[in-house]
Amino acid sequence: MAQKKAKTAAAKKTTTAKSTSGKRAKPDTASPPAGRPAPKLPKVTEPTEPRGPLPPGQDQAGPDTLSPTGQPTGAPQAAVAQGGAYLTTAQGARLHDSDHSLKAGPRGPVLLQDHHLREKITHFDHERIPERVVHARGAAAHGTFQSYGTAGKVTKAAFLAKGAETPVFVRFSTVLGSRGSADTVRDTRGFATKFYTGEGTFDLVGNNIPVFFIQDAIKFPDVIHAGKPHPDREIPQAQSAHDTFWDFVSLHTEATHHTIWNMSDRAIPRSFRMMEGFGIHTFRLVNAKGATTLVKFHWKPKLGVHSLVWEEAQITSGTDPDFHRRDLADAIEAGAFPQWELGIQTFPDTPEQTFEGIDLLDPTKIVPEELAPVRAIGLMTLNANPANYFAETEQVAFHPGHLVPGIDVTDDPLLAGRLFSYLDTQISRLGGPNFAQIPVNRPHAPVNDMLRDGMHQSAVHTGVAPYRPNSLDGGCPFLAGTDTGAFIEVPLELPATRKVRDAPASFADHFTQPRLFWLSMTPVEREHIIAAYTFELSKCQQQAVKERTLAVLANIDPRLCAEVATGLGLPAPAATEPLVDTDPSPALSQLGRTWPVDGRVIGIIADPTCDLKGVRAVRNTVLKSGMVPLVIAPTGGTLGPKRNPVPVQRTFATVRSTEFDALLLAGTPQAAADAHGARDAKAGAPEPGSPDPRVLMLVSEAYRHGKAIGGWNGSSRILEGAGIQADGPGLAFNETAATALEHLTHALAQHRAWDRFPPTV
C-alpha cells in the first residue's frame, strides 16, 4: 500500500548494516580461537567510532526468514536482527545516555517521566518467560501524514519538516464499553495516531474532547471504576447514566468540565470522519537551535465537526450498533478518504507554564482558540482499511512516551502517570515486553535497543554483548549525540522545593471553564445539554447523587441547573461559588458554519411508478459530487426496464432514517405488498391508495432529526401525510430532480436544519 512505502527524509538517510544473506562471515584471522564469542577480536580500549552490528560468527546461522504464517519472505537474516549503529529505544529513538536516570538535579529524586528508564527496566523485568499463569471497542485505518513545514520554526522533528510524508495508523474508540458494545453511545471517543517516522515511532494518543475528568493520574482507576458498569450487576454497559459515575463526578468537581462536554453533542459524533481530536496535554517542542515552545495538538476534520441527535443515536444503537466503524470502512472503500489537519496552539515556554492566566499543566483546562489560534502544520489522509482486525486494530499499542527528537513532555501530572500506565498495560495485554515487534507496532526506523528475550520474542538477535559499554560486539550500539539525531530531554531548572502530595492552587478552579463552554453554546446546543443531564440523572437511583449534581450545575449556570432540576422534579439549589463573567468562545460550537458534503449519504426513495429517469440522473450527480446515493424501494433488486435498471440498495422494510444525511423523494410510493403489520410492524395498517406508511415514518423521523428532505414529481404530498408543513426549514421540493438536489445539497452543508429546534427561551 502507498502508506507503507512513504518515508520521511530522515528515513531515507538512515543506513543499515549489510546483510550476510545467510552466508557465513569470513573470519578476521586465519586461526580463530575455539569458542570465540565474537567474529572479530576486540581491542583493549572501548570502541568509539560508530559502526553497525557485526555479522554473525563463522559457525552461526539463523533460522530461515519466514512470515508468522510460514510464508517465505525472502528477507536476509540480518533483517530480523538489530540494526543501526546507535543505541535506541524500542521505538527507534536514538539515545544519548543510558547510564543515568532522569533526576531533579544530580542529587535529586528520579523522575517518573523517565520513559527510557522505565522501558529499559520493565523490559528487563519481563525478559524471562514465566511458567503458565494466567482495551476495548475500536476501529482503525492506515493513512499518510503530509507535513506543511509550518512547524519547522518550533520543532526539529523530521516528520514535521516541509514535504515530509509519514505513514500513520489511527485507531478510534469508545472509552467505557466492552468490545461488544454499541458505537453510538454517549461517551468520550479515543483518537490515537501512530506516526511511523524515520526517527522512531511517535504516538499522539488523545480524545475527541480536549479536557480530561481528572488532573492527576493517581485518580485514573477511580474515574474508570466509577464509569464502568456497577460491579454487582455488570450494568449499565457503555454509558455513564448510572449512580456510580455521577456519585464520583459530583463529589470530585474537577471532573465538571469534561462532564459538560460529555453531556453535549460532542459525545455522540455523527462519524469518526466528523470528529475533532485533541492531544489533551500540553507538550514541549524543541527546535534545531534548542529553543522550546509549549503546544497543544488539535486534529481538525475537513468535513467539519458534526454530531447525532440523541434519539438518532439511540435508534442507531439498536438498528446498527456498528454504525461508526461501518461508516469509516465504507467511506475508505468508496474512495471518500477522510482527512484531518493537524494543528498546534503555541505558548511561550515560561517557568510558570501558564498562558493568559490558564494553567497549561492542568488537563481539565483548554486555551480558547480566540486567545491562541490553531495553526495547521500538516494533513492526514486515511486511505486504507486494515487487512485483519485482530492483527492490526486490536494489537496496535499506543503510548504517550513514544516520542521523537523535537517533541517532549511537560510536568502535567496526568501525563506523567500515562507515561507509566500505557507501557505497563501493553505488557499485560499483549503478553510480554516485545509488543513493539507485532507488525502493526514495528517502528520504521532501525532498532538496536539491547533488550533481549522475553515472551513472544520474534527477532533473532546476533552478537554476544547486549550491554554497553562492550568490546566483544565492536562497541555496538553506540550512543548518539545531538548531531546524530539523539532524543535528548529538555534540561529544565527545577526550583528548590519539598516532596509533597498536593496540587497547584490554579488546579482548584473547577467551574470557570465549564461555564465558558456553556456560554459558548448556541441555544439549540444548550437544549441538548439540558436534555442529556436530565436523561442521565433520571437513570440514577440515589436521590443524594441527583441533588449533589444539581449543586454542581448551579455553579455553572442557574438556567442549566433550573431546567435539569425541573426535569428531575427537584428544587434548584443556589450557587455556592460566584459565577464567573467570561467571554464565549465561538470555536467551541459546532453550529454557524458550512462544510464539504463529501461522503454524505443520500437516500433516494422510489418505486416503479416514480420518475426513474430523474432517479438515474440524481444518482449520477450525487456520485460525481463525492456523496453516496442509496436507492430505497419496496423490494430489493432493481427498478425499471432490464435494459437500463436502477439498482436498489435498501428496502422500506429494512431502512431507518439514521442511516442517511438527507432524503430525496422521486414521487409518492404507494403501500407495498409487505406493508401490513404481520409482515412488518412498522407498516401498521395502511389506508388503500395511501403512501407506504414506512416511507411516512422515514420522512417524519428524518424531519424530527433535522435532516434535509427534498423531492420532485409531486412528492411534496408526502409531507402532509407525515404531518410536516411544506414551507419548513431544510425542505427542498421542486419541479425538477436537478433543482431539488441542488437545494438539498446546499442545506446539507449545514449538517442539519437547526431552525427546526427552536429554543424554549
Side-chain angles (χ1 to χ4, degrees):
M1 290 181 287
Q3 71 272 19
K4 299 293 185 183
K5 299 177 181 179
K7 302 288 183 182
T8 63
K12 293 178 180 178
K13 296 178 181 178
T14 303
T15 59
T16 57
K18 292 183 179 179
S19 165
T20 61
S21 300
K23 298 179 181 179
R24 294 182 177 180
K26 293 181 179 180
D28 61 342
T29 64
S31 179
R36 186 179 71 175
K40 187 175 182 180
L41 292 175
K43 297 181 180 180
V44 174
T45 57
E46 178 184 349
T48 56
E49 183 67 26
R51 55 152 296 154
L54 295 175
Q58 183 177 358
D59 61 328
Q60 297 172 331
D64 291 339
T65 52
L66 304 174
S67 76
T69 56
Q71 305 298 317
T73 66
Q77 290 182 347
V80 298
Q82 69 271 27
Y86 295 101
L87 179 66
T88 71
T89 68
Q91 302 299 319
R94 293 182 179 180
L95 295 165
H96 74 104
D97 188 330
S98 191
D99 291 336
H100 304 94
S101 299
L102 195 63
K103 297 183 286 291
R107 296 172 57 83
V110 174
L111 300 180
L112 182 62
Q113 71 181 64
D114 190 347
H115 57 91
H116 173 47
L117 165 69
R118 291 194 317 280
E119 180 186 73
K120 185 175 181 180
I121 293 296
T122 304
H123 197 287
F124 169 76
D125 291 343
H126 294 264
E127 281 183 357
R128 297 296 172 262
I129 298 176
E131 293 179 326
R132 295 185 184 270
V133 178
V134 301
H135 201 333
R137 181 171 182 83
H142 296 277
T144 59
F145 176 78
Q146 295 175 303
S147 173
Y148 297 157
T150 49
K153 292 184 178 180
V154 293
T155 180
K156 61 183 178 183
F159 82 98
L160 293 177
K162 186 175 180 59
E165 185 171 329
T166 304
V168 297
F169 188 76
V170 181
R171 187 177 188 269
F172 306 103
S173 57
T174 53
V175 172
L176 292 178
S178 67
R179 188 174 161 187
S181 58
D183 278 348
T184 60
V185 295
R186 180 180 295 280
D187 197 1
T188 305
R189 300 304 192 281
F191 193 133
T193 307
K194 186 176 290 291
F195 297 82
Y196 301 97
T197 89
E199 297 180 301
T201 301
F202 171 57
D203 287 347
L204 182 54
V205 195
N207 290 332
N208 73 323
I209 292 178
V211 293
F212 208 67
F213 282 109
I214 54 176
Q215 297 167 323
D216 192 305
I218 201 168
K219 292 172 281 196
F220 191 74
D222 301 308
V223 68
I224 296 303
H225 288 168
K228 283 288 189 178
H230 291 202
D232 55 345
R233 299 187 179 187
E234 187 61 12
I235 56 173
Q237 176 64 245
Q239 58 178 296
S240 55
H242 55 93
D243 286 278
T244 58
F245 174 80
W246 288 100
D247 182 45
F248 177 81
V249 299
S250 61
L251 288 167
H252 217 66
T253 54
E254 68 188 60
T256 303
H257 194 192
H258 188 117
T259 302
I260 196 170
W261 277 78
N262 224 37
M263 294 303 105
S264 77
D265 293 341
R266 296 279 189 150
I268 41 175
R270 158 62 181 85
S271 164
F272 293 140
R273 302 178 290 125
M274 304 170 190
M275 190 174 80
E276 276 187 313
F278 304 90
I280 302 171
H281 309 285
T282 300
F283 291 82
R284 178 175 279 111
L285 299 186
V286 188
N287 68 13
K289 297 181 179 179
T292 61
T293 304
L294 299 181
V295 301
K296 285 183 176 291
F297 290 106
H298 296 248
W299 288 110
K300 298 285 190 181
K302 298 291 280 185
L303 295 178
V305 186
H306 299 309
S307 298
L308 301 170
V309 295
W310 180 229
E311 185 194 36
E312 193 178 17
Q314 291 176 297
I315 294 172
T316 305
S317 287
T319 59
D320 187 4
D322 305 306
F323 182 75
H324 282 149
R325 62 172 61 185
R326 189 190 313 281
D327 173 89
L328 177 67
D330 286 353
I332 293 174
E333 185 179 17
F337 300 145
Q339 293 184 315
W340 290 260
E341 281 192 310
L342 179 61
I344 54 174
Q345 287 180 296
T346 59
F347 320 101
D349 190 357
T350 63
E352 297 78 17
Q353 297 180 86
T354 62
F355 182 77
E356 297 289 337
I358 301 169
D359 194 328
L360 297 175
L361 299 185
D362 185 348
T364 69
K365 304 293 194 299
I366 65 165
V367 177
E369 294 183 27
E370 292 75 17
L371 295 179
V374 176
R375 177 158 52 100
I377 63 173
L379 178 68
M380 179 173 72
T381 304
L382 299 184
N383 54 19
N385 288 310
N388 181 275
Y389 183 91
F390 177 81
E392 301 173 86
T393 308
E394 190 67 14
Q395 291 197 118
V396 66
F398 297 95
H399 176 30
H402 292 166
L403 303 166
V404 293
I407 303 177
D408 204 350
V409 299
T410 58
D411 296 328
D412 178 335
L414 176 63
L415 178 56
R418 292 180 72 199
L419 291 171
F420 173 80
S421 178
Y422 276 67
L423 181 60
D424 196 45
T425 298
Q426 307 304 356
I427 291 171
S428 174
R429 189 172 71 88
L430 297 173
N434 293 305
F435 61 86
Q437 296 179 12
I438 297 172
V440 72
N441 296 322
R442 292 175 182 171
H444 291 199
V447 172
N448 195 349
D449 52 22
M450 294 196 305
L451 308 177
R452 289 295 184 267
D453 307 340
M455 191 175 291
H456 302 155
Q457 175 63 257
S458 60
V460 182
H461 296 305
T462 59
V464 297
Y467 54 86
R468 70 163 320 280
N470 76 75
S471 64
L472 296 181
D473 281 348
C476 184
F478 295 83
L479 296 175
T482 55
D483 58 333
T484 47
F487 181 93
I488 301 177
E489 291 84 359
V490 177
L492 295 173
E493 294 292 335
L494 299 178
T497 185
R498 295 178 299 136
K499 289 189 292 185
V500 295
R501 291 192 182 274
D502 204 350
S506 59
F507 278 39
D509 179 5
H510 300 163
F511 299 111
T512 297
Q513 291 219 332
R515 179 161 174 77
L516 166 68
F517 185 82
W518 170 260
L519 295 177
S520 302
M521 296 295 102
T522 60
V524 64
E525 290 173 305
R526 294 186 189 182
E527 294 291 340
H528 292 170
I529 292 172
I530 292 169
Y533 274 109
T534 305
F535 176 90
E536 297 257 328
L537 293 170
S538 296
K539 293 286 187 176
C540 294
Q541 302 299 315
Q542 302 299 323
Q543 194 76 353
V545 171
K546 300 177 185 180
E547 293 177 5
R548 193 188 308 131
T549 304
L550 288 174
V552 172
L553 298 184
N555 290 328
I556 300 176
D557 186 82
R559 179 176 172 249
L560 170 61
C561 179
E563 294 286 353
V564 175
T566 298
L568 298 177
L570 294 172
T576 58
E577 296 198 14
L579 296 177
V580 178
D581 190 13
T582 182
D583 293 328
S585 171
L588 297 177
S589 171
Q590 299 184 56
L591 277 60
R593 286 165 286 180
T594 58
W595 301 96
V597 296
D598 303 24
R600 302 296 177 86
V601 181
I602 310 297
I604 305 174
I605 304 171
D607 71 358
T609 68
C610 293
D611 176 20
L612 297 183
K613 181 179 179 181
V615 171
R616 296 187 190 94
V618 296
R619 186 174 179 275
N620 290 335
T621 304
V622 169
L623 283 169
K624 292 178 181 178
S625 301
M627 297 184 288
V628 179
L630 296 178
V631 175
I632 310 164
T635 66
T638 61
L639 293 174
K642 292 183 179 180
R643 66 179 183 277
N644 192 15
V646 174
V648 174
Q649 288 83 27
R650 300 292 186 270
T651 67
F652 296 166
T654 61
V655 76
R656 294 298 291 268
S657 73
T658 53
E659 190 175 358
F660 308 99
D661 295 291
L663 295 176
L664 201 56
L665 293 104
T668 55
Q670 301 301 296
D674 64 344
H676 55 84
R679 183 75 61 84
D680 187 352
K682 299 192 302 295
E687 296 290 333
S690 64
D692 193 296
R694 294 164 300 182
V695 173
L696 295 176
M697 187 186 77
L698 185 65
V699 171
S700 177
E701 204 170 71
Y703 184 86
R704 193 166 66 247
H705 297 157
K707 298 183 179 181
I709 306 171
W712 74 100
N713 191 31
S715 58
S716 60
R717 294 194 298 271
I718 291 285
L719 299 179
E720 182 179 352
I724 301 171
Q725 294 183 356
D727 58 350
L731 300 178
F733 287 86
N734 299 91
E735 295 298 321
T736 67
T739 306
L741 178 59
E742 180 184 353
H743 292 173
L744 188 86
T745 304
H746 178 76
L748 193 56
Q750 300 176 63
H751 187 52
R752 297 185 193 275
W754 296 109
D755 292 342
R756 291 187 201 155
F757 304 100
T760 56
V761 292

